[in-house]
Amino acid sequence: MNITLDEFYQLEKGAFLLVDVRDEDAFQHGGIPGAVRMDLPQDLGKLSKDQKIVLYCTRGERTIELAQELRDQGYDAYSLQGGYGAWLVDSFERSCSEQKQRCADIEKSIRKKFHKDIFSKFAKAINEYELIQPGDKIAVCISGGKDSMLMAKLFQELKRHNKFPFELVFLVMDPGYNAANRRVIEENAKLMDIPITVFESEIFDAVYEIEKSPCYLCARMRRGYLYSNAKKLGCNKIALGHHYDDVIETILMGMLYGAQVQTMMPKLHSTNFEGMELIRPMYLIREDDIKHWRDYNDLHFIQCACKFTDTCTTCDPDGRSVSKRMEVKQLIARLKEINPYVEGNIFRSVENVNLKTIIAYKKDGVKHHFLEDYDCSSEIDVDADTEQ
C-alpha cells in the first residue's frame, strides 16, 4: 500500500518507523531525516508488528512490493510514494515557497508596520541631505549585521518607487570571516532576496597583530577596499548603514574622548578615490526601531565577527575603541532617564553651532581663533551669553 507525501507529513512523530531500503552508499549521500537503513528481508527481525512502518527507496518502486510482502506477514507496512526522489524535490519546493513567503513578509513589514519609523525616515534622510541623484550607481555595503541588511531592503523598496533612475550593487566584503559567519551572511541574503556580490580580503589577518588601535586600522582598510571595489564595478557612491544612534554617540565621544566638536556626516566626498562619495541613508533611523524590525521578522545576523571579539556591535568607524562607544551608549541611556529629550538635543547641537560663541574652529584644515576678528565684531551681551 502506498502512502503519499502529504499523508506522510501528517503522521505524528514517533508514531511510525521510517525505513530506508537503499544501499549504504546511497544512504550516506543523503536520506529523509529520522530514517534508519535496513536490508530487507534480511533485517526483518528488527521490525515490530505493533508499529506502523514506512518504507522508501529511490523512486518508490521497489518498496511497493516490499511493503506488500510485509503486510502479508502481518506488518503494518506502507511504501512512500515516489520515494526519496519525490521527497527531495518536495523539500526544495517547500523550502523555496517558505523562503519566498518570509521574504514577502519582511518586505511587507517595511511597507506597513515600520513605514513611519523606518522607511519614512530613510526617505527623509535621502531627500533632506540630497544623498541620491539621478544616474547614481550605489554600492550598498553589507557587513552582515542588522543595520546594513535592513539598509539593503530599504534601497530595494526605494527602487520599486522608481521616481528617478539609479542603480544598485549589493556589495559584501569578506575581510576574513570564519566559515560559519560567511554562511550566515549568504543565507540571510538568500532569504531576503538580496543579490549580493562578494569579494574577499585578508584584512583581519593584516591587523590581528597590531596592538595600537587595530579597530581603527581595520575600519580604514575596509573603507578603502569598499571604495576600490565599488569603483571597479562602476559605482560613484558607497552607502554605509550608520544610524541615528551612531551619530549622537560619535558627537559625544568626540567631546569626551577627543576634545573636539564634530559629527558623523550624512555624506562625504572621498579624498583618496576621485569621483566617489560616501552616503549614510540610515542617518535618521533609531537603533531600537531597527532591533524591533529584526525581532519582529525573527531574523538573526552576525555582529562584528572579527578575530578580536564576536560580540562587538561594530568596528568603530571613527578610530575609537568599541568599549568607549559602549560607555557613551550607556551614558546617553542614563541621561535619558533624567531628560527624555537628550538624544535629540545632542543630534541638533551640531546643527545649531553659533560661531560667535566658539573660541576656535577648523575649516579646510586651517584653525581660526575668535581673536582674529574680535576687535572688529560687536560685543556679545553678557547676559545673553550666559543664557546660552
Side-chain angles (χ1 to χ4, degrees):
M1 173 179 276
N2 271 336
I3 183 172
T4 66
L5 281 170
D6 286 338
E7 292 170 335
F8 171 69
Y9 291 135
Q10 292 174 12
L11 295 176
E12 291 185 15
K13 189 175 180 180
F16 65 97
L17 177 66
L18 181 61
V19 179
D20 188 322
V21 302
R22 299 174 301 158
D23 61 39
E24 182 66 27
D25 185 61
F27 183 70
Q28 291 301 323
H29 275 82
I32 300 177
V36 295
R37 199 195 77 81
M38 291 187 185
D39 290 314
L40 295 177
Q42 294 93 317
D43 291 329
L44 193 62
K46 298 178 181 179
L47 300 178
S48 170
K49 293 183 179 180
D50 297 327
Q51 185 178 31
K52 185 187 294 291
I53 301 166
V54 178
L55 311 175
Y56 75 87
C57 57
T58 302
R59 292 188 296 273
E61 297 174 357
R62 179 186 167 203
T63 47
I64 294 176
E65 186 177 337
L66 274 174
Q68 187 58 55
E69 290 177 2
L70 291 176
R71 293 179 72 83
D72 290 342
Q73 298 179 52
Y75 293 93
D76 188 15
Y78 301 83
S79 171
L80 182 61
Q81 186 173 312
Y84 178 66
W87 176 88
L88 194 60
V89 170
D90 186 71
S91 68
F92 288 149
E93 291 177 350
R94 284 173 179 263
S95 177
C96 183
S97 176
E98 291 172 2
Q99 183 171 301
K100 287 181 179 178
Q101 184 58 52
R102 283 206 66 195
C103 183
D105 291 341
I106 291 168
E107 292 172 349
K108 182 180 178 181
S109 74
I110 291 173
R111 290 192 294 270
K112 300 293 185 179
K113 184 174 180 64
F114 296 98
H115 186 274
K116 179 181 178 181
D117 292 329
I118 292 181
F119 185 76
S120 289
K121 291 182 179 179
F122 180 78
K124 181 180 179 181
I126 288 173
N127 293 327
E128 187 169 324
Y129 303 117
E130 300 178 355
L131 301 184
I132 303 178
Q133 302 297 330
D136 280 344
K137 186 172 183 179
I138 304 166
V140 182
C141 301
I142 299 174
S143 66
K146 66 185 189 312
D147 308 326
S148 61
M149 283 292 193
L150 172 58
M151 178 176 65
K153 293 307 297 180
L154 290 170
F155 264 114
Q156 287 181 324
E157 184 64 26
L158 185 69
K159 183 70 174 172
R160 290 190 181 97
H161 291 268
N162 206 30
K163 292 186 176 180
F164 54 83
F166 66 94
E167 295 181 62
L168 298 172
V169 174
F170 299 96
L171 198 58
V172 174
M173 181 191 64
D174 183 345
Y177 294 131
N178 63 46
N181 285 324
R182 170 71 174 261
R183 183 172 181 183
V184 169
I185 296 174
E186 293 171 338
E187 290 298 324
N188 275 325
K190 183 178 178 182
L191 167 65
M192 298 169 69
D193 194 25
I194 302 171
I196 59 175
T197 298
V198 182
F199 68 93
E200 298 178 359
S201 70
E202 297 179 353
I203 293 177
F204 283 169
D205 288 336
V207 302
Y208 188 62
E209 301 297 332
I210 303 297
E211 294 185 4
K212 185 177 181 180
S213 302
C215 289
Y216 171 72
L217 180 60
C218 177
R220 290 295 298 270
M221 291 179 68
R222 292 169 76 171
R223 184 79 54 84
Y225 270 81
L226 288 170
Y227 270 127
S228 177
N229 283 273
K231 193 166 187 177
K232 289 178 183 177
L233 292 171
C235 299
N236 65 311
K237 293 180 179 179
I238 66 171
L240 302 183
H242 297 122
H243 48 67
Y244 184 98
D245 295 73
D246 290 325
V247 177
I248 62 175
E249 289 160 15
T250 297
I251 295 170
L252 211 53
M253 286 172 68
M255 296 173 64
L256 299 180
Y257 300 113
Q260 58 189 348
V261 177
Q262 66 175 26
T263 189
M264 179 183 284
M265 297 296 288
K267 63 179 181 180
L268 292 166
H269 288 294
S270 172
T271 55
N272 298 317
F273 296 86
E274 186 178 355
M276 295 293 293
E277 191 175 1
L278 180 155
I279 61 174
R280 295 183 170 105
M282 306 272 284
Y283 204 78
L284 301 178
I285 300 176
R286 298 306 310 266
E287 185 176 25
D288 282 346
D289 292 324
I290 298 174
K291 291 178 178 178
H292 188 191
W293 168 82
R294 175 199 63 193
D295 297 341
Y296 177 82
N297 289 289
D298 192 27
L299 295 168
H300 305 275
F301 303 109
I302 69 166
Q303 298 298 323
C304 174
C306 72
K307 290 189 176 182
F308 296 98
T309 173
D310 280 334
T311 59
C312 62
T313 56
T314 179
C315 279
D316 183 12
D318 300 298
R320 304 171 184 86
S321 69
V322 174
S323 61
K324 290 293 186 290
R325 182 170 289 275
M326 186 56 66
E327 287 176 11
V328 168
K329 186 184 289 287
Q330 293 169 351
L331 173 61
I332 293 173
R334 291 196 296 271
L335 291 173
K336 188 178 178 181
E337 294 176 359
I338 302 171
N339 177 9
Y341 306 106
V342 70
E343 294 160 311
N345 290 342
I346 295 172
F347 185 88
R348 287 187 293 273
S349 68
V350 291
E351 296 180 350
N352 298 316
V353 177
N354 185 346
L355 290 181
K356 288 187 176 182
T357 66
I358 299 298
I359 293 175
Y361 67 93
K362 290 181 180 179
K363 184 176 181 180
D364 299 327
V366 179
K367 186 174 182 179
H368 299 275
H369 198 276
F370 85 102
L371 288 177
E372 291 176 4
D373 59 357
Y374 175 73
D375 291 330
C376 301
S377 61
S378 58
E379 184 177 352
I380 297 176
D381 182 81
V382 175
D383 292 333
D385 185 47
T386 303
E387 290 176 0
Q388 292 174 8

